[in-house]
Amino acid sequence: MEQKLVIYNTLSRSKQPFVPLHAPNVGMYVCGPTVYGDPHLGHARPAITFDILFRYLKHLGYKVRYVRNITDVGHLEHDADEGDDKIAKKARLEQLEPMEIAQHYTNRYHDAMKALNVLPPSIEPHATGHIIEQIELVRQIIDNGFAYESNGSVYFDIEKYNKAHHYGVLSGRNLDDVINASRELDGVGEKRNQVDFALWKKAQPEHIMRWPSPWSDGFPGWHCECTAMGRKYLGEHFDIHGGGMDLVFPHHECEIAQAVASQGDQMVKYWMHNNMITINGQKMGKSLGNFITLEQFFKGEHSALEKAYSPMTIRFFILSAHYRGTVDFSNDALLASEKGLEKLMTAIADISRIQAAEKCDPETEKAVKALRQKCYDAMNDDLSTPLLISYLFEACTVINKLVDHKAAICAECLAELTDVMHLFAFDILGLSNESGTDNSAREEAYGKVMDMILELRAKARANKDWATCDQIRDALKEAGFEVKDTKDGCVWKLNR
């Protein structure tokens, strides 16, 4: 059955059927990290959100070109137009070349993404590798009358653009009042209006990251890179542009203005934004100093953490909330995610222990035959991963009944159950069994030892030596093994 994906478009503020511009090809651009520090939990959410979209679109049969940029110049310390370049500042402090800083933290980001099982994008362009394209973008905007040069810098003329088009279509802001208020500051600094944003900045003598341009030796404004690189690799019109909700204004609003000012119309059909991760109700991020790096999560090396949390626990924690909802960090939430992930992975592993019967009982057959489409319905409804996970948990209940011989399943339904659980848990949600390739060998060893122990317990039962029987069961429980006596014999499982 063909699946129809519906996604929330930030531009229209509504859910819309996903209809690619050039099916089966899909162009997707997502704002990547600014590489001047270790990746933190706030970086993980957009990476995982759009990894899910990437995986699902490919599963549906689309050929996806996924572009995720690396910001390694132009992102300034105080705001989009003023202050020190964050990477250059870090380079001065550590007495390194800026590109050493950028490469070091790019590598750290890649390591974290690999641990989280985030697929690499199709293309990962760097801002510093596309200065020529950004200069050409600025030139086009100037030629079309929507930018002006001032003392070697170039600024976007918000007031002029707002008269011809509308600045604020993405964020819903009415900038007329802002523009009028900014007139009180006319003549201060280089801008005609304080709301105008930089397309190109003239470098001050101490600025170590600079390139020649028709206007000055300088560097591009932060907003230019995504417009220029999106156009280079995806064309003047492409399907999806994504990122965190904190980028809606001003970054993505400026991107829309740049595209319209340079080419006459919008580049992007669907804008998608994930919500924030919060801590005590505040956005988690470097600027607020309340972030926890991913490495600290993985090692448990932070005062706010009760223990270390595995990469898959972090991934499951993020997927347990809808991407457009906020997620508030707490140890309780992470412990619940750890337990939920363990439950899911244990159930999937236990499928291999289920013996097929000649036919299903009606309840099991109904549940298994409905499972695949229920999972698709959850994904098709704007990537509702929490709902999908709830359906997988329902399937876990079915699996546990089958393992405990409280239900029966035929070979055909068992194959269907196996395929659906693997497809949605591993291929689409991108989860994995973190015990890795050693898992099967470990469980084989456990199995041999458990067979010997349970044989001893069976002999004790046969001899009515109930004390020894209970002693073996209690010792196994203390070691993490759960033993159950059923009408068909004794079954066990390891509580991971």
Side-chain angles (χ1 to χ4, degrees), residues 52-70:
I52 295 295
L53 180 59
F54 186 31
R55 289 170 179 270
Y56 192 57
L57 289 173
K58 290 200 299 181
H59 171 71
L60 293 180
Y62 294 112
K63 183 179 179 182
V64 185
R65 178 175 290 174
Y66 174 17
V67 181
R68 186 185 67 207
N69 71 295
I70 295 290

Side-chain angles (χ1 to χ4, degrees), residues 22 41 68 176 192 272 307 348 364 412 414 468 486:
H22 308 290
L41 193 61
R68 186 185 67 207
D176 286 337
R192 294 176 183 172
M272 295 182 68
K307 53 171 284 186
I348 293 175
T364 299
E412 181 182 354
L414 180 57
T468 299
T486 71

Side-chain angles (χ1 to χ4, degrees), residues 24-225:
N25 299 308
V26 173
M28 182 169 81
Y29 190 102
V30 174
C31 290
T34 303
V35 284
Y36 71 101
D38 280 332
H40 56 77
L41 193 61
H43 289 123
R45 193 169 195 195
I48 291 172
T49 294
F50 292 100
D51 181 60
I52 295 295
L53 180 59
F54 186 31
R55 289 170 179 270
Y56 192 57
L57 289 173
K58 290 200 299 181
H59 171 71
L60 293 180
Y62 294 112
K63 183 179 179 182
V64 185
R65 178 175 290 174
Y66 174 17
V67 181
R68 186 185 67 207
N69 71 295
I70 295 290
T71 297
D72 53 5
V73 68
H75 203 304
L76 304 186
E77 189 71 26
H78 302 309
D79 58 37
D81 293 338
E82 301 298 335
D84 294 330
D85 185 288
K86 295 179 179 180
I87 293 172
K89 181 178 180 180
K90 189 96 172 181
R92 281 196 298 271
L93 289 172
E94 299 189 16
Q95 296 184 328
L96 296 170
E97 285 291 327
M99 288 302 99
E100 286 184 271
I101 296 293
Q103 188 64 57
H104 173 76
Y105 289 112
T106 298
N107 293 343
R108 302 277 285 179
Y109 178 77
H110 287 160
D111 290 344
M113 294 305 104
K114 185 176 181 180
L116 291 168
N117 202 25
V118 170
L119 298 176
S122 313
I123 303 172
E124 191 175 56
H126 291 231
T128 53
H130 297 79
I131 301 298
I132 293 173
E133 289 83 358
Q134 293 177 77
I135 289 174
E136 180 57 28
L137 171 67
V138 177
R139 193 197 310 271
Q140 290 171 355
I141 296 172
I142 291 174
D143 290 345
N144 290 338
F146 293 110
Y148 57 91
E149 182 184 352
S150 177
N151 296 327
S153 294
V154 179
Y155 295 96
F156 192 95
D157 193 332
I158 290 285
E159 185 171 24
K160 188 170 184 180
Y161 176 85
N162 202 51
K163 288 177 181 177
H165 305 283
H166 173 51
Y167 185 81
V169 293
L170 187 65
S171 61
R173 299 189 181 208
N174 183 345
L175 288 199
D176 286 337
D177 294 337
V178 179
I179 291 171
N180 291 333
S182 75
R183 287 200 175 99
E184 298 176 5
L185 299 174
D186 278 357
V188 178
E190 300 174 338
K191 302 178 184 181
R192 294 176 183 172
N193 287 297
Q194 292 304 305
V195 291
D196 294 348
F197 61 89
L199 298 170
W200 185 264
K201 287 288 288 182
K202 180 181 179 180
Q204 298 304 310
E206 68 276 8
H207 202 97
I208 55 180
M209 299 181 77
R210 59 175 68 215
W211 291 263
S213 79
W215 313 287
S216 64
D217 281 2
F219 54 94
W222 170 41
H223 309 304
C224 288
E225 62 181 271

Side-chain angles (χ1 to χ4, degrees), residues 260-306:
V260 174
S262 62
Q263 69 183 41
D265 60 357
Q266 289 205 38
M267 294 173 63
V268 180
K269 185 175 181 180
Y270 301 93
W271 287 87
M272 295 182 68
H273 295 89
N274 63 274
N275 214 321
M276 299 296 99
I277 291 181
T278 58
I279 179 166
N280 298 323
Q282 272 193 318
K283 172 196 166 187
M284 181 181 286
K286 286 190 175 71
S287 60
L288 296 174
N290 64 353
F291 66 95
I292 304 173
T293 70
L294 290 171
E295 184 177 31
Q296 287 172 326
F297 274 104
F298 301 159
K299 294 182 176 180
E301 296 175 347
H302 192 280
S303 59
L305 299 173
E306 293 180 1

